[in-house]
Amino acid sequence: MKLFDLIFGRMIDRRIAAFQNDLIARHCEEVQNIYRQMRGWRHDYHNHIQAMKAHLALGNLEELDRYLSGLDADLTRVDTIVKTGNVMADAILNSKLSLAGRREIRVNAKAQVPGELSVAETDLCVLLGNLLDNAMEGCLRLENPAERFIRLYIRPMKGQLYISVTNSAGRGIKKRDGKYFSTKESPTHGFGLARIDRIAARYGGYVNRQDEPGVFATEVMLPL
């Protein structure tokens, strides 16, 4: 019995260590993506400054005014993907969805999250992060980028926070006894799905997963 406990304990330790390594790898990729964006913005900022200085040096004030108006319009369009009303939700959603865009996944997102929730912000971020990680993994099983998409919809509804994530998915969705499980060939498989379920259960929430050819959808309801 002690030998079994020892072997089982080591197996769990390895799975936890692998899961932690997966998390670190994901976070590193997200941070690198943010740094790439920042470098691009810095490069553009330098070019804009040089162009405006040139107009000013030549006394082209009308051209400078038009340039500034165009730049103002561009800055209005270059914004975060979603503004939910909740700072923590904005941080995790924009990080994940920005990464999805870089992976050539079309994103359609509409989200409204109250500033104050009965759900701990850390739990909400873990839940949203896992939902979008799973969605991206489903999309990336499709070789053709034109077929990849994620639709995110979040809003308060009848005293609940309704969360819906729909994504394109390749073949190989696995289901047993009415329950879905991960298709990843990894010692961490199933951790993301289990964490979503545990967080929803902790708050008396509800999780519903559905699939049809080429599409996978998850709905979560959390009491407000």
Side-chain angles (χ1 to χ4, degrees), residues 64-202:
L64 177 59
D65 183 63
R66 278 195 288 270
Y67 191 91
L68 285 169
S69 296
L71 182 58
D72 183 56
D74 286 342
L75 289 175
T76 300
R77 287 192 294 269
V78 178
D79 206 345
T80 52
I81 298 171
V82 291
K83 287 184 178 179
T84 68
N86 182 290
V87 175
M88 291 293 287
D90 284 354
I92 188 69
L93 290 176
N94 284 296
S95 173
K96 296 293 185 182
L97 295 177
S98 174
L99 185 59
R102 184 165 185 84
R103 290 174 170 178
E104 298 183 278
I105 300 171
R106 286 182 291 113
V107 173
N108 186 331
K110 294 182 180 179
Q112 179 184 349
V113 181
E116 295 185 6
L117 298 166
S118 58
V119 178
E121 288 183 328
T122 50
D123 285 338
L124 180 63
C125 287
V126 168
L127 187 145
L128 293 174
N130 276 286
L131 283 170
L132 290 172
D133 283 341
N134 292 341
M136 282 190 276
E137 287 161 7
C139 289
L140 293 176
R141 285 197 290 270
L142 295 166
E143 293 185 5
N144 184 0
E147 298 177 354
R148 301 172 187 165
F149 71 85
I150 293 175
R151 290 195 295 267
L152 170 73
Y153 183 72
I154 307 175
R155 63 162 290 182
M157 182 184 298
K158 297 181 180 179
Q160 305 278 321
L161 184 64
Y162 174 73
I163 303 169
S164 172
V165 178
T166 304
N167 61 275
S168 54
R171 296 178 181 179
I173 294 175
K174 295 184 179 181
K175 190 176 183 180
R176 183 187 300 134
D177 299 328
K179 294 185 177 181
Y180 295 93
F181 57 100
S182 174
T183 59
K184 289 187 294 182
E185 297 297 329
S186 163
T188 68
H189 72 277
F191 272 36
L193 296 176
R195 296 190 85 190
I196 293 168
D197 291 343
R198 280 199 299 268
I199 290 171
R202 185 180 304 156

Side-chain angles (χ1 to χ4, degrees), residues 1-65:
M1 190 66 177
K2 289 183 177 180
L3 179 61
F4 173 80
D5 290 342
L6 179 62
I7 294 173
F8 183 73
R10 287 179 176 175
M11 182 180 69
I12 293 298
D13 288 344
R14 285 197 296 270
R15 290 191 65 191
I16 291 173
F19 181 63
Q20 291 173 332
N21 289 337
D22 279 354
L23 286 179
I24 291 170
R26 289 175 191 169
H27 291 327
C28 285
E29 187 177 5
E30 290 167 17
V31 169
Q32 288 171 355
N33 183 55
I34 291 170
Y35 281 155
R36 278 190 291 266
Q37 289 180 332
M38 291 175 65
R39 286 197 295 270
W41 292 336
R42 181 179 178 182
H43 179 264
D44 291 344
Y45 178 79
H46 178 75
N47 289 338
H48 291 317
I49 291 294
Q50 294 303 313
M52 288 186 288
K53 287 175 70 174
H55 283 310
L56 188 61
L58 294 172
N60 297 331
L61 298 184
E62 289 186 4
E63 288 294 327
L64 177 59
D65 183 63

